[in-house]
Amino acid sequence: MSRAIEETNRRMLRARDAMDRAYAEPLDLPTLARIAHLSEAHFIRTFRATFGETPHRYLQRRRVERAMFLLRATDRSVTDICLDVGFNSLGTFSRSFQAIVGEPPTAYRERGPIMAVPNCFAMAWTRPSSFGEAKAKDVV
């Protein structure tokens, strides 16, 4: 691996780590591009080439992933969870949740509380891989 590719990967990891840490905050593209020291257009292209999805999709998937946990581990309202994970609109949250998980948030919640299993198993079973892929529909 060349030194330039290594540096690019490091910058992309830095931006992705920022999204993981602050997924519930309003992150915008200029901020993330600045973290990666790239222009906005170049950041989007490079992020997609590195991780296989756009920064926007990654951030939405990260937020939905957290919402999936909160829906089954707490009895808070869907609206509260929607706002806590960083969505500004319940409609956008529900559409994104349905696209990623394959069912609406209330139907997902009806599966009941999360069973006690080691975290590595829970993440492997419930983590949505991307939009349209590996729906978490059949997960217990």
Side-chain angles (χ1 to χ4, degrees):
M1 179 182 304
S2 77
R3 195 172 186 83
I5 293 173
E6 194 173 301
E7 178 59 26
T8 300
N9 288 344
R10 198 172 294 129
R11 289 177 180 190
M12 293 300 104
L13 285 172
R14 207 175 306 137
R16 193 177 73 174
D17 287 347
M19 284 191 269
D20 287 341
R21 275 192 314 271
Y23 65 88
E25 296 173 18
L27 287 171
D28 60 359
L29 191 57
T31 303
L32 294 171
R34 234 185 344 269
I35 290 170
H37 301 285
L38 296 171
S39 72
E40 294 173 28
H42 191 66
F43 172 68
I44 292 171
R45 282 193 305 271
T46 307
F47 193 93
R48 177 186 269 168
T50 305
F51 299 115
E53 60 187 340
T54 64
H56 178 71
R57 278 193 175 182
Y58 178 80
L59 186 58
Q60 280 196 324
R61 190 168 53 80
R62 184 72 181 92
R63 288 173 172 167
V64 166
E65 190 178 295
R66 180 65 181 154
M68 289 170 69
F69 170 77
L70 292 173
L71 283 167
R72 293 184 66 186
T74 69
D75 57 354
R76 297 173 54 212
S77 74
V78 174
T79 304
D80 285 346
I81 291 172
C82 156
L83 297 174
D84 282 354
V85 298
F87 284 93
N88 294 324
S89 154
L90 185 59
T92 303
F93 170 70
S94 294
R95 245 186 338 274
S96 299
F97 195 95
Q98 171 96 32
I100 293 170
V101 178
E103 60 186 317
T106 48
Y108 182 78
R109 171 174 266 172
E110 289 170 2
R111 293 180 184 187
I114 298 171
M115 298 174 65
V117 295
N119 280 346
C120 57
F121 288 115
M123 287 184 71
W125 287 332
T126 60
R127 186 172 212 165
S129 63
S130 187
F131 286 5
E133 296 176 10
K135 305 264 186 214
K137 210 176 200 176
D138 302 324
V139 175
V140 178

